[in-house]
Amino acid sequence: MLSLQPSSAAAPPNLSSTSKLSSFFNPVKTLKPLRPNHPPPIQSVLQWNRKPQLAGETPRVVVITSGKGGVGKTTTTANVGLSLARLGFSVVAIDADVGLRNLDLLLGLENRVNYTVVEVLNGDCRLDQALVRDKRWSNFELLCISKPRSKLPIGFGGKALVWLVDALKSRQEGSPDFIIIDCPAGIDAGFITAITPANEAVLVTTPDITSLRDADRVTGLLECDGIRDIKMIVNRVRTDMIKGEDMMSVLDVQEMLGLALLGVIPEDSEVLRSTNRGYPLVLNKPPTLAGLAFEQAAWRLVEQDSMKAVMVEEEPKKRGFFSLFGG
Ligand code: ADP
Ligand code: MG
C-alpha cells in the first residue's frame, strides 16, 4: 500500500485526488501520492500521520439534531462518534431518543445494554454500570436514557441531563473528550432535554425542502438556547440528481440555512447494510465514500473547522475532431 505525504501539517484527509466525491469537497491542501501517476487505493487516504488538534474546552458536548426524523442523526452519531474514537479521543455517546432508541442497534451493542440512565437516577445502579463499552474501540462508550419503547420518564428533563454530563466529567477515569447526544426528532420536550447540556450542535439535513424548513426552525431554537456553534451535515446527497437539477445543491442548502458546513455525505447503499449489521460504516475496509465523508466530518469537528460547499463540477466536454481545429 502506498503511503501519503501530507502537504501541510494542518491538512485534513483529502479525497479530491481519489474519489468521485471530489466535486463535494473543498479542495483543501492536497495529500500527494508518492507515485502521482498511480492513484493510491482508497484505504490509503485514511493513513493520516498526525492526530487532529483538539480545539475548544473539553468535554465538548455536541448535540446531533435535525428537526425532521429519518435524515441521518443516529447514523451520524454512530459514525462520527466512532471516527473520533479511532482518532484517539475518548467519546461517550448518549442516546437521548427516548422510546425510539436505536443507536445501540447501529453500533451492534443492543445485547450489552443492561442498565440505562433511568436506573442510575433511581439509584438502582452506578453510572459506570450503565456505560456500555464498544466492542472495537474501548474509548467509545454508549449511554442509553431508557429502555426501548418506554416514554420519557416523568421529571426527566434538561436538568437531569446536565447532571449526567457533570457526572461524566467528574468520573474517576477522567472526563471524556467528547459527549455526543443523539437527539430525537421534533422540537418538543425530548428535543429541549437533549439540547440543554450542549455547547455546540451538528444539524443534519437532507437537501429537500421539508428537511430544510425543520432545520431552519431548529437553528432558531438552538440559538435561543444559547448554542452559537452550529454546523451542518448535508446527508444523502446525489450528484447525478443535482446535475439533473432534481436535487438542491449543497451550495443552495448552505445559502438557505447560512450555517458552516461540517460535511457532505453522499447517498450510499452501504449505510443501510452497515446499519443492519450493527457495524458502522466508518469501520468498513476498504471504506466507502460515505464512510470517508463521515471521517472527514469528524476531523473537522475536532478542529472546529468547516468546509466550503463547492458546486458539482461539470463533466469535461468531449473533444471532438473539429474541436482540435477550434471548431
Ligand atoms: P434519524 O436518526 O435522523 O431518524 P437515521 O440515522 O436512523 O435517521 O437514518 C434513517 C435512514 O436513512 C436509515 O435507514 C439509514 O440507513 C438511512 N440513511 C442515512 N444516511 C444515509 C446515506 N448517506 N445513504 C443512504 N441511506 C442513509
Ligand atoms: Mg435516530
Side-chain angles (χ1 to χ4, degrees):
M1 187 186 299
L2 295 175
S3 61
L4 298 177
Q5 285 176 336
S7 61
S8 150
N14 182 280
L15 305 174
S16 56
S17 61
T18 51
S19 80
K20 284 183 255 165
L21 268 186
S22 58
S23 51
F24 295 138
F25 290 94
N26 183 21
V28 270
K29 299 129 205 176
T30 10
L31 296 171
K32 280 190 200 140
L34 289 178
R35 285 186 290 149
N37 293 335
H38 301 272
I42 206 162
Q43 61 264 39
S44 62
V45 177
L46 291 178
Q47 292 184 343
W48 4 95
N49 55 2
R50 76 175 185 95
K51 204 177 145 178
Q53 297 299 308
L54 182 56
E57 265 178 46
T58 56
R60 301 254 310 267
V61 186
V62 186
V63 63
I64 313 283
T65 183
S66 69
K68 188 168 180 247
V71 295
K73 291 178 294 296
T74 306
T75 307
T76 302
T77 309
N79 285 290
V80 169
L82 272 180
S83 295
L84 293 172
R86 279 211 323 187
L87 289 168
F89 301 104
S90 53
V91 181
V92 174
I94 302 179
D95 188 348
D97 195 350
V98 178
L100 289 174
R101 129 184 161 194
N102 50 18
L103 184 57
D104 53 342
L105 280 171
L106 258 76
L107 293 163
L109 296 175
E110 67 279 11
N111 294 329
R112 301 200 177 186
V113 184
N114 293 320
Y115 295 110
T116 66
V117 171
V118 170
E119 281 94 58
V120 178
L121 294 174
N122 286 340
D124 296 336
C125 72
R126 296 186 313 274
L127 176 59
D128 56 286
Q129 288 177 295
L131 282 159
V132 183
R133 209 169 276 275
D134 184 70
K135 303 173 201 171
R136 299 138 296 208
W137 293 90
S138 60
N139 50 343
F140 182 98
E141 289 168 302
L142 169 71
L143 189 56
C144 299
I145 300 288
S146 66
K147 295 256 156 61
R149 289 178 295 281
S150 58
K151 290 211 172 102
L152 193 68
I154 295 167
F156 186 88
K159 275 191 188 154
L161 213 53
V162 170
W163 173 86
L164 197 66
V165 165
D166 286 340
L168 288 170
K169 282 185 200 169
S170 47
R171 276 170 84 197
Q172 252 181 356
E173 300 85 327
S175 164
D177 297 314
F178 284 91
I179 298 174
I180 306 183
I181 305 168
D182 184 16
C183 186
I187 48 171
D188 51 17
F191 165 79
I192 303 292
T193 302
I195 67 168
T196 304
N199 315 114
E200 50 191 294
V202 172
L203 195 88
V204 183
T205 184
T206 45
D208 63 88
I209 200 71
T210 50
S211 173
L212 284 175
R213 183 195 283 175
D214 290 356
D216 201 31
R217 174 100 181 89
V218 163
T219 307
L221 293 171
L222 291 169
E223 283 176 351
C224 266
D225 201 60
I227 303 176
R228 298 271 154 205
D229 186 349
I230 310 169
K231 294 199 177 76
M232 68 171 175
I233 284 189
V234 186
N235 190 21
R236 307 194 77 159
V237 172
R238 287 184 53 179
T239 358
D240 55 338
M241 287 184 72
I242 295 175
K243 280 182 185 160
E245 297 190 0
D246 294 320
M247 186 179 263
M248 244 180 262
S249 73
V250 177
L251 205 62
D252 291 339
V253 173
Q254 207 180 12
E255 272 167 13
M256 284 179 79
L257 293 180
L259 296 174
L261 192 58
L262 190 70
V264 179
I265 318 292
E267 173 80 22
D268 187 344
S269 55
E270 275 304 315
V271 174
L272 188 59
R273 209 164 292 142
S274 69
T275 302
N276 292 338
R277 281 168 50 214
Y279 193 80
L281 199 70
V282 288
L283 303 177
N284 279 3
K285 277 186 197 148
T288 66
L289 295 178
L292 286 169
F294 276 123
E295 195 92 54
Q296 277 209 325
W299 190 283
R300 290 192 195 94
L301 185 69
V302 172
E303 302 202 321
Q304 291 185 333
D305 194 8
S306 59
M307 68 189 281
K308 285 194 198 101
V310 286
M311 272 185 282
V312 173
E313 285 165 359
E314 301 224 329
E315 295 278 1
K317 290 204 178 67
K318 290 213 172 71
R319 286 171 67 84
F321 177 76
F322 289 109
S323 68
L324 294 175
F325 302 98

